[in-house]
Amino acid sequence: MKTIGWLIKEHWTNAYLMLRLSLYDLKTMHVSNRLGLLWFILTPAMQIGIYWAVFGLGIRGGAPVEGTPFIIWLLCGLIPWFYISGGIIQGTRSVYVKLPMVSKMKFPLSVIPTTVVLTQLYTHVALLLILVTILAFTQGVTILALTGMLFYTILLTAFLLALALITSTLATLARDVQLVVQSFTRMAFYFTPIMWTMNERTPDTLKNVMQLNPLSYFIEGYRESLLTDDLSQIATKSSLYVGACIVVLFVVGAWMHMKARTSFVDQM
Amino acid sequence: MSYRVKFQSVSKRYKLYSKTSDKLLDLFSLRRQGTAHNALRDVSFEVEEGAVVGIVGLNGSGKSTLSNLIAGVTMPTEGQVEIVGSAALIAISSGLNNQLTGLENIELKGLMMGLSKQRIKEITPGIIEFAELGKFIHQPIKVYSSGMKARLGFAISVHIDPDILVIDEALSVGDQTFTDKCMAKVNEFKDRGKTIFFISHSLSQVSKFCNKALWIHEGSVRQYGEIDEVISSYKEFLRVYNALSDEEKKQMRAAHWG
């Protein structure tokens, strides 16, 4: 309990530091590219193009999904996924990549994973704004849809922060963890209903397993609220389950981070 | 007497692991994994305000560990380190981002060292002037020469204006002009009555600059006191030590590491 209070305090006192660091991070990533910040949109746009061509036009022959044009349906699942995969992979790398930079100063190490997830959040928000604009011209956007989107974005951010605390600690101790996390993330892409939907043809066992996959909750949540203004998932047991997951991840992460923190600098 | 830095039977152990998997195991298991290496053993001393302490000792005697502890970069395994005021280690290259400009780096490193937005604004002109970067201040520091980078790193570290300054071989990177300039700046600190720790292998530099000395040998304090006394006995030790054959030196070290 003391560890958690300490961690929260460290974040609170360093809020401005995190903000500046994450903005500089964003800048550093693409400062040497000619198109600069545009790449934050271009990279996902290219991926979306490929998935659209392969799954939308190739496999489905351009048919809509449950009445929604495929591209719109795709965007509502893929944009949250970009945030999930970016947050997990960059969050895991965060501490060991930044450690050499802060090794000779008294630096609040726990803000590093948070800063990196924050950087990913900026891209996510930019993409969401584009998505909402597209939706406004095609499907229409309601206050309800935006409320849902906001809710899931906040919850997903909490989830990614808690997870990054754990994976960044483990990856700093053993680099292999990075590879494990990367393969799991790649698998999770298929194991989460992003490119497929759960409907009456889905076997019950798979549906039940999906109940245990918190990522599935987020993707479904974004889609339901943006496409059908349906916020009913928030009032289900799934929310409780995902909330509990976040709390457990956070407690374990805080404990791990604090235990390993002195050795981070010592192992340099 | 009031002190600035007080070590009370401080020990620092590093863990050495034979496998990476042991590091992960150590996080979860109650049984301790890996073997311990004692970098510092039962170190106690007190440094009052305004003292300039030279830290001397052979390579691997624990000088860097000691400076990390003073600057709060790491924590002691046992004992207590008490610091009154703020302490900073002058680390020239750490905290600099090659992709960002000099100006951006000033803000970034300042923030990372715990300064407020307002304070950074105040010290920026001084840093630019000291670093003599001219028009390069708006260029990414990857285009800087190593001398320019060193000047910038040093300038940021000293302008942060800590109460306790730890200088760990930092001044040996540049040319003579750079070293002179840095020494002048550090002397200014000395005149203002700040506490300074100076780690260097150049005994003449240490004797000239410091008024106290701390001799660390194999992780323990061998002698602490007035500069002349400590330096002369350290010199005497070095004379004897260097006259030893390699075999005898090895034996002497084995007695410690074993």
Side-chain angles (χ1 to χ4, degrees), chain B:
Chain B
M1 194 162 45
S2 75
Y3 60 87
R4 274 283 183 197
V5 176
K6 187 178 186 180
F7 274 53
Q8 278 178 310
S9 34
V10 169
S11 294
K12 177 75 192 177
R13 266 193 299 279
Y14 290 111
K15 280 183 197 167
L16 304 172
Y17 300 95
S18 48
K19 297 195 299 278
T20 310
S21 58
D22 287 350
K23 284 194 211 169
L24 287 179
L25 267 178
D26 198 32
L27 187 62
F28 298 107
S29 75
L30 294 170
R31 231 183 60 223
R32 283 174 180 274
Q33 303 284 328
T35 48
H37 162 62
N38 287 298
L40 286 180
R41 261 189 295 207
D42 197 24
V43 171
S44 301
F45 63 89
E46 237 182 80
V47 174
E48 69 278 14
E49 194 173 338
V52 181
V53 184
I55 300 178
V56 294
L58 298 172
N59 278 335
S61 55
K63 298 191 298 291
S64 291
T65 305
L66 189 69
S67 64
N68 280 342
L69 284 169
I70 298 167
V73 173
T74 185
M75 298 289 152
T77 319
E78 275 160 32
Q80 263 194 323
V81 177
E82 283 177 58
I83 305 286
V84 182
S86 61
L89 191 71
I90 295 208
I92 284 181
S93 58
S94 88
L96 296 182
N97 183 331
N98 270 325
Q99 305 287 337
L100 300 174
T101 69
L103 207 56
E104 289 168 333
N105 267 295
I106 295 175
E107 192 203 344
L108 196 64
K109 187 163 175 173
L111 282 171
M112 284 166 68
M113 296 192 76
L115 293 195
S116 68
K117 191 167 143 187
Q118 190 53 39
R119 186 86 190 96
I120 291 171
K121 226 180 239 161
E122 284 164 24
I123 63 173
T124 303
I127 295 174
I128 296 173
E129 199 196 310
F130 184 90
E132 295 173 32
L133 290 169
K135 60 186 184 218
F136 276 95
I137 196 74
H138 296 292
Q139 292 294 316
I141 63 167
K142 63 183 172 192
V143 305
Y144 286 20
S145 70
S146 50
M148 291 161 82
K149 228 183 271 186
R151 282 202 301 272
L152 179 67
F154 181 85
I156 300 172
S157 295
V158 287
H159 280 83
I160 280 164
D161 203 27
D163 302 314
I164 300 155
L165 199 63
V166 185
I167 307 165
D168 186 350
E169 311 270 3
L171 308 183
S172 51
V173 292
D175 56 10
Q176 196 55 45
T177 351
F178 172 71
T179 314
D180 290 347
K181 192 166 181 181
C182 294
M183 284 313 282
K185 187 80 198 169
V186 176
N187 271 315
E188 207 182 296
F189 268 81
K190 196 173 149 184
D191 295 341
R192 278 161 59 200
K194 301 235 173 190
T195 306
I196 301 173
F197 288 86
F198 188 67
I199 300 169
S200 173
H201 282 291
S202 152
L203 290 184
S204 59
Q205 218 178 17
V206 171
S207 338
K208 210 168 69 190
F209 181 62
C210 306
N211 52 33
K212 283 194 139 188
L214 179 68
W215 172 13
I216 301 281
H217 186 66
E218 318 274 80
S220 309
V221 178
R222 183 77 163 254
Q223 200 179 354
Y224 174 53
E226 290 310 310
I227 182 81
D228 297 334
E229 290 168 36
V230 181
I231 294 297
S232 67
S233 41
Y234 181 60
K235 271 185 179 155
E236 176 60 21
F237 162 80
L238 277 183
R239 205 178 51 77
V240 176
Y241 181 79
N242 287 329
L244 293 177
S245 69
D246 285 352
E247 197 50 42
E248 286 167 312
K249 281 182 190 167
K250 218 189 253 171
Q251 269 175 14
M252 204 173 141
R253 309 210 127 222
H256 171 59
W257 306 128

Side-chain angles (χ1 to χ4, degrees), chain A residues 22-77:
Chain A
S22 55
L23 286 172
Y24 274 130
D25 243 17
L26 204 63
K27 198 176 166 195
T28 319
M29 264 192 264
H30 286 299
V31 75
S32 48
N33 294 329
R34 241 206 143 84
L35 295 175
L37 291 177
L38 206 58
W39 278 109
F40 286 103
I41 311 299
L42 281 180
T43 323
M46 286 192 282
Q47 276 197 55
I48 291 164
I50 288 287
Y51 287 128
W52 186 26
V54 173
F55 292 94
L57 303 176
I59 295 179
R60 300 183 57 92
V65 184
E66 290 159 3
T68 315
F70 182 81
I71 181 69
I72 302 287
W73 177 85
L74 180 72
L75 285 174
C76 292

